[in-house]
Structures are given as structure tokens and as C-alpha cells.
Amino acid sequence: MAVSEERRSFMGFAFGTVAAVGGVFSLVAFKKTWDPLPSVKAAGFTTVDLTGMQAGELRTIEWRKKPIFILKKDANMPKNEKRDVVVDNATYTVVIGLCTHLGCIPAYMPSDQIFKCACHGGEFNTSGVNIFGPPPKPLEIPPFKIDGTKLVLGEEGPEYKKMIAEA
């Protein structure tokens, strides 16, 4: 009978060991499903070189599937200390190009110096502040960091944190 009990104990120990190892592998695989894919991590940051922009020029880029408007202000455009981004002594407006009313993409009208939403006639000034129509708030500012003459979208730099704290 002693041999039978030893065999039963060994079988129980072997089964327990296999179950424990399988459980560890399952947990590791489960955790990997939570980690973002490398392509998703790479899409989080976009770097824009601002050196080639002319005064009054609007550049539209895509960041996280959203349009980003970067407008280099000229001397005739009003400045907004709370919303303007200053890079290399030049003033820029950097906003997410989605109307805060229903999410339409406003068009920039350089002659009137406004962003106009075709959906319901909402208007935003060159700083992205709502000035007419149904939009309830200004265009949103994406998180950014200034790196020399480059703008890094998706990373919260000190300039962005200061801007958000003042708003």
C-alpha cells in the first residue's frame, strides 16, 4: 500500500506542477494582449519641423487620425498670450482641426483670417477661439513639446503644461 500512496502523491505533484506552469504561461499571454502594438506606440508622437513655414501659412498634418492645424501668424494677426505657441521668436497657433460643435473640419479663410465650419457656420479666430455660431468652446490644443525648431505632438512639454494651467 505504501507504493500506491507514493504514486498517488507523485501524480498529484506532477499534475499541480503542470497546472502551475500552464497558469503562468496563460497570465503572460494575457498581459501581452494588454500591451499596445508597436505601430500604436509609434503613432502616438509626430514631429513637425517648423523652419520652412512662411508668415500666414497654414500647415495641416495628421496626428492620431485627427487633423492638426499649424498656423504661423504674421504681423497682422492678433496675438493670444494664453493660446499662442512661440518657437524661435515666431508665433504659431497649434490646434486640433475639429469643430467643437459637432466635429466637422473647419476651413481656413486667409482673407478673413478665420477658420469657418461649413456644417453650421461656426467661426474661430486665428488663435482657435470661437467667435461666432454654435461652437461652445475654442478649438482644442493637442499635447505638444517644443524641441528646438521642432514641434513634437503627443508629448506634454513645459509650454503645454503652462498653457493648460492658464486656461
Side-chain angles (χ1 to χ4, degrees):
M1 286 263 231
V3 173
S4 176
E5 285 183 32
E6 286 180 18
R7 186 173 189 196
R8 191 173 298 154
S9 295
F10 175 75
M11 291 298 285
F13 176 74
F15 178 73
T17 302
V18 169
V21 170
V24 168
F25 279 116
S26 296
L27 288 175
V28 169
F30 187 66
K31 192 239 178 249
K32 283 187 178 183
T33 62
W34 287 354
D35 293 339
L37 296 171
S39 60
V40 173
K41 284 183 183 178
F45 299 103
T46 301
T47 303
V48 183
D49 189 5
L50 302 173
T51 54
M53 289 185 71
Q54 302 298 316
E57 177 185 346
L58 175 74
R59 186 179 294 175
T60 304
I61 61 163
E62 186 177 305
W63 171 73
R64 293 185 181 173
K65 304 290 184 193
K66 296 177 184 175
I68 302 296
F69 296 156
I70 302 172
L71 174 66
K72 184 172 185 179
K73 291 187 170 185
D74 63 22
N76 299 327
M77 295 178 184
K79 307 293 187 238
N80 185 330
E81 298 293 323
K82 292 183 178 179
R83 296 182 58 89
D84 288 346
V85 178
V86 179
V87 179
D88 200 28
N89 295 324
T91 306
Y92 297 87
T93 294
V94 180
V95 292
I96 297 175
L98 296 174
C99 179
T100 55
H101 178 230
L102 292 177
C104 302
I105 300 174
Y108 180 60
M109 308 294 188
S111 59
D112 298 328
Q113 293 187 350
I114 61 169
F115 293 95
K116 186 164 181 75
C117 183
C119 295
H120 296 104
E123 294 179 359
F124 302 89
N125 66 15
T126 55
S127 294
V129 177
N130 49 325
I131 55 173
F132 178 77
K137 59 185 181 177
L139 295 173
E140 293 182 25
I141 299 171
F144 67 89
K145 180 181 98 170
I146 298 171
D147 184 15
T149 59
K150 295 180 180 166
L151 189 70
V152 181
L153 296 170
E155 188 172 344
E156 293 184 4
E159 301 85 359
Y160 175 76
K161 290 179 182 176
K162 180 182 174 197
M163 189 180 291
I164 295 303
E166 291 177 357

